[in-house]
Amino acid sequence: MGVNSNRVEHFDSHNNGQTTTTIKISMPPPPPLEIHRVELPPERTTLQKLRQRLSEIFFPDDPLHRFKNQPCFKKLLLALQYFFPIFHWAPNYNISLLRSDAISGLTIASLAIPQGISYAKLANLPPIVGLYSSFVPPLIYSLLGSSRHLGVGPVSIASLVMGSMLSEQVSYTQHPILYLKLAFTATFFAGLFQASLGILRLGFVIDFLSKATLLGFMAGAAIIVSLQQLKGLLGIVHFTNKMQIIPVLLSVFRQRHEWSWQTIVLGFGFLAFLLTTRHISMRKPKLFWVSAAAPLTSVILSTILVFLLRDKAHQIAMIGNLPKGLNPPSSNMLFFNGAYLTLAIKTGIVTGILSLTEGIAVGRTFAALKNYQIDGNKEMMAIGLMNIAGSCSSCYVTTGSFSRSAVNYNAGAQTAVSNIIMAAAVLVTLLFLMPLFYYTPNVVLAAIIITAVIGLIDYQGALKLWKVDKLDFFACVCSFFGVLFISVPLGLGIAVAISVFKILLHVSRPNTLVLGNIPGTQIFHNVNQYKEALRVPSFLILAVESPMYFANSTYLQERVLRWVREEEECTKANNTSSLKCIILDMTAVTAIDTSGLDTLCELRKMLEKRSLQLVLANPVGSVMEKLHTSTVLDSFGLKGVYLTVGEAVADISSSWKAEP
């Protein structure tokens, strides 16, 4: 190739005695745009394609990469560290870490003990079961879990859902033993479901609960839980078992004659104290210990107060006797047949999904703050095995609690040993301190629950949804009102249904955009987003922002034909260059099936009958491979597929100019 040099010419002119020199630079014409061939991806066997696809679906993190090129002993050690993370950090554990973990463990124990008792009552279970659930599961998680800051124990949402689902068919007052068996069996199935998701690498299933629907669900559940606690705050004895807002409010006002002024004064006094401490800790995070210690402080103070006034405060309901000792085995209480097996399985799956979603979300939140990662599938296995073991030791569904984890993090926890310290503190309580809870009033437990669940109402998050995504806000509102007015399980079902509907809506009705050229470049962008983007005369350039599947192929065909009709009407009305070519930018079409291929063929034939040319630009490897295998590529010809939109416009325009 020869080298073109610039030619400089000088022109001198005289004007009023002054000489002006004009320099004219002659530039060479720009080289013609090179047209690149769209290549096919390398050939692979069906087995290779299947293997890669399954690997991307189930092993996106490639968990086996650490075992490559390692000796057998090293592989064994890595396997132990993978399945039991305690082997990873235990060899480097020291006194300094133990000091931090001991402080944080004792701090969360002060929160776990009153919360465990309160949440057990929320699930309509004996209070002692809540303490049992704060002993065995944290020990199991400390061996299997990968989070350093997750505080394990009962949580409000899972407790509420279990209580509402089981009590719909079985009365916990009339059939307490059957109810307890159902709770343990549901916990077993929750753990089995969770562990199965982790072992089979199916963690993406829980992603169907979007953040928007969970936001509405948790807010609705928090309101229902708070209203249910009016039974304890007002001292009502006969209260509805229903979990909808209208029956609960009707029950509150119909039982006005049961209201106890002693209970009301005590309850609202401690509720104000708990809310004040929560507000202080939120305003000044360094004072996190104020709200962390408040529940146990409330329990101690209220117990002392009721004990001193026991001869006068007859209207205040108390916890009563709690058995001392370790968790009794409950494997003999699990049942796998009978009329209520379906109820136990359904309750287990629903509470399992909710607790898993909360636990993993909390774990990832605090892992991000400390710049380390947790393995979602390993967490599912850890939480699942923890619940299976718990179901055999008188525990109900447990997971990572946000309130405990936040306290654990702020108290300076360094490893999962903080859970072991907390379990040890609960053990001491179970063995020696249970008689001290005899005079603890139920009203304080109600105040603790209300304070805990109020944090689930995130109105700022709802406002953000309204500003950012109206469809997400609609999903949030539907989930919220579904829980309030129908039921908690159906509210969750509505949340999942809306999430799935949103996915189907995006898949079946994908975006199609008209592209224009940014002047002076080979860049083509959405004409509505970039006002400087200009439409190219005689061309209609469309971008499809979705895979082409059976679910959207008919819609895409109709939408493209509508774009063509509107473009033809526009050119006719403005008396501009008639439409000759439609270019489909396939950059965002990441996959295509046989229905999508048929749609392209039909579109090409329909447009050809109208003397219009259909051209494809930048099909990705998998799409190009299917176009070639199905012989659709042959019907488009050499001038039917281009690497970029710019090359397509330049080549087709030059071919038009070359025509006589």
Side-chain angles (χ1 to χ4, degrees):
M1 293 178 63
V3 179
N4 293 324
S5 59
N6 296 340
R7 189 180 66 206
V8 181
E9 299 180 4
H10 297 265
F11 298 91
D12 295 331
S13 62
H14 299 275
N15 186 18
N16 296 329
Q18 295 181 346
T19 302
T20 303
T21 302
T22 303
I23 300 176
K24 181 180 179 183
I25 301 177
S26 179
M27 299 293 292
L33 185 66
E34 184 180 356
I35 307 300
H36 299 85
R37 183 168 176 244
V38 182
E39 300 289 345
L40 289 169
E43 288 190 13
R44 295 178 300 164
T45 64
T46 303
L47 186 60
Q48 288 174 327
K49 294 176 185 175
L50 180 62
R51 183 180 177 183
Q52 182 187 1
R53 188 59 183 153
L54 291 176
S55 176
E56 290 174 354
I57 293 173
F58 296 107
F59 303 99
D61 54 342
D62 190 15
L64 300 179
H65 75 282
R66 69 190 72 189
F67 297 96
K68 293 178 182 177
N69 304 320
Q70 297 288 346
C72 291
F73 176 76
K74 183 69 172 177
K75 286 182 179 179
L76 178 61
L77 180 61
L78 290 172
L80 282 173
Q81 291 177 350
Y82 181 79
F83 291 107
F84 300 95
I86 191 172
F87 285 101
H88 181 71
W89 51 262
N92 300 318
Y93 202 72
N94 54 45
I95 296 297
S96 175
L97 294 175
L98 178 60
R99 189 183 302 114
S100 299
D101 287 336
I103 293 171
S104 57
L106 292 173
T107 305
I108 58 174
S110 68
L111 178 65
I113 292 169
Q115 271 192 355
I117 296 172
S118 303
Y119 290 160
K121 290 186 70 66
L122 185 59
N124 302 320
L125 293 168
I128 192 65
V129 174
L131 288 180
Y132 291 156
S133 302
S134 298
F135 173 53
V136 172
L139 292 176
I140 302 295
Y141 182 83
S142 63
L143 296 175
L144 303 174
S146 57
S147 173
R148 304 172 198 165
H149 302 96
L150 201 66
V152 174
V155 293
S156 57
I157 290 298
S159 302
L160 166 71
V161 172
M162 176 173 281
S164 62
M165 292 184 71
L166 294 181
S167 59
E168 282 181 358
Q169 296 189 33
V170 178
S171 172
Y172 60 91
T173 54
Q174 296 177 3
H175 307 285
I177 301 300
L178 175 60
Y179 189 91
L180 197 59
K181 288 181 177 180
L182 283 172
F184 293 152
T185 307
T187 301
F188 175 83
F189 282 110
L192 186 65
F193 176 73
Q194 293 165 335
S196 300
L197 288 182
I199 293 169
L200 299 176
R201 314 285 293 185
L202 295 174
F204 58 85
V205 170
I206 64 171
D207 292 335
F208 282 97
L209 275 176
S210 67
K211 289 185 178 180
T213 53
L214 275 178
L215 190 78
F217 173 80
M218 289 193 295
I223 291 175
I224 289 293
V225 169
S226 300
L227 291 175
Q228 277 280 343
Q229 300 317 303
L230 291 176
K231 173 186 177 181
L233 280 178
L234 301 176
I236 299 174
V237 178
H238 302 92
F239 200 73
T240 181
N241 291 326
K242 295 182 179 179
M243 300 297 291
Q244 297 86 23
I245 187 170
I246 293 176
V248 171
L249 289 176
L250 287 175
S251 182
V252 168
F253 290 104
R254 284 174 179 170
Q255 306 297 334
R256 288 193 304 272
H257 60 281
E258 293 186 1
W259 291 10
S260 164
W261 70 267
Q262 295 173 335
T263 305
I264 292 172
V265 171
L266 186 66
F268 280 94
F270 277 103
L271 180 61
F273 168 71
L274 289 165
L275 291 175
T276 302
T277 57
R278 180 177 180 272
H279 179 71
I280 291 171
S281 295
M282 289 180 65
R283 292 290 299 271
K284 296 182 179 180
K286 290 184 178 180
L287 297 177
F288 68 91
W289 55 269
V290 174
S291 62
L296 186 59
T297 304
S298 299
V299 168
I300 294 171
L301 292 177
S302 62
T303 302
I304 294 172
L305 189 62
V306 171
F307 174 75
L308 295 175
L309 300 174
R310 61 186 181 279
D311 294 330
K312 298 179 181 179
H314 299 293
Q315 295 179 340
I316 299 178
M318 299 173 294
I319 290 179
N321 284 314
L322 293 177
K324 290 198 301 182
L326 294 177
N327 301 32
S330 57
S331 54
N332 61 320
M333 299 185 73
L334 303 179
F335 64 92
F336 303 103
N337 52 39
Y340 296 107
L341 180 60
T342 304
L343 173 63
I345 294 174
K346 184 172 66 173
T347 305
I349 290 175
V350 172
T351 54
I353 290 175
L354 282 173
S355 58
L356 201 57
T357 303
E358 180 174 355
I360 292 178
V362 172
R364 285 176 174 165
T365 299
F366 291 102
L369 292 175
K370 283 294 185 179
N371 197 29
Y372 69 93
Q373 288 185 325
I374 63 170
D375 186 329
N377 288 293
K378 280 197 330 192
E379 286 295 289
M380 291 177 195
M381 287 189 284
I383 294 173
L385 293 173
M386 173 180 82
N387 280 315
I388 291 174
S391 68
C392 299
S393 54
S394 300
C395 305
Y396 77 107
V397 175
T398 54
T399 187
S401 162
F402 184 82
S403 58
R404 291 188 207 185
S405 301
V407 170
N408 201 25
Y409 173 83
N410 288 321
Q414 299 296 318
T415 68
V417 171
S418 60
N419 276 301
I420 298 175
I421 302 295
M422 179 193 73
V426 174
L427 173 62
V428 172
T429 304
L430 287 169
L431 291 177
F432 305 110
L433 305 180
M434 298 314 297
L436 300 179
F437 291 99
Y438 181 90
Y439 288 100
T440 301
N442 289 329
V443 65
V444 169
L445 302 181
I448 291 172
I449 291 174
I450 291 174
T451 307
V453 300
I454 277 178
L456 299 176
I457 304 174
D458 185 5
Y459 66 91
Q460 291 182 337
L463 290 174
K464 184 178 179 181
L465 288 178
W466 171 257
K467 293 178 182 178
V468 176
D469 191 326
K470 300 296 190 293
L471 188 58
D472 268 354
F473 179 78
F474 175 72
C476 174
V477 169
C478 288
S479 178
F480 175 75
F481 285 111
V483 172
L484 281 185
F485 292 99
I486 304 176
S487 72
V488 173
L490 284 177
L492 180 62
I494 291 172
V496 175
I498 291 172
S499 298
V500 173
F501 173 75
K502 185 180 176 182
I503 295 171
L504 294 175
L505 188 64
H506 284 305
V507 170
S508 62
R509 293 295 183 269
N511 283 339
T512 54
L513 309 171
V514 177
L515 305 184
N517 178 241
I518 306 293
T521 70
Q522 288 293 320
I523 299 172
F524 290 79
H525 267 300
N526 183 3
V527 294
N528 290 327
Q529 183 180 358
Y530 294 88
K531 300 304 180 184
E532 66 270 26
L534 303 175
R535 294 197 183 196
V536 183
S538 301
F539 286 91
L540 174 60
I541 306 169
L542 300 174
V544 179
E545 295 186 328
S546 161
M548 295 182 69
Y549 287 125
F550 64 93
N552 61 24
S553 56
T554 302
Y555 168 79
L556 285 173
Q557 179 177 320
E558 293 173 350
R559 193 67 187 91
V560 169
L561 292 175
R562 177 182 166 188
W563 280 118
V564 171
R565 187 187 72 245
E566 290 174 351
E567 184 69 12
E568 287 180 331
E569 291 174 353
C570 182
T571 55
K572 190 174 182 180
N574 297 327
N575 198 23
T576 55
S577 301
S578 60
L579 181 63
K580 296 181 181 179
C581 180
I582 294 91
I583 300 176
L584 277 186
D585 184 358
M586 307 278 284
T587 303
V589 181
T590 54
I592 192 168
D593 67 357
T594 52
S595 298
L597 293 170
D598 291 341
T599 295
L600 288 178
C601 284
E602 291 175 16
L603 263 177
R604 187 191 61 79
K605 291 176 183 177
M606 295 171 73
L607 294 173
E608 206 172 55
K609 290 179 181 179
R610 297 163 66 171
S611 301
L612 297 172
Q613 182 182 3
L614 178 64
V615 169
L616 308 179
N618 195 27
V620 299
S622 59
V623 173
M624 190 66 184
E625 186 177 19
K626 288 189 178 180
L627 289 171
H628 173 70
T629 306
S630 64
T631 68
V632 172
L633 205 59
D634 298 337
S635 64
F636 277 86
L638 293 175
K639 298 289 185 181
V641 183
Y642 290 87
L643 186 60
T644 67
V645 173
E647 290 183 9
V649 171
D651 190 49
I652 295 170
S653 298
S654 62
S655 66
W656 290 342
K657 292 177 182 177
E659 292 176 359

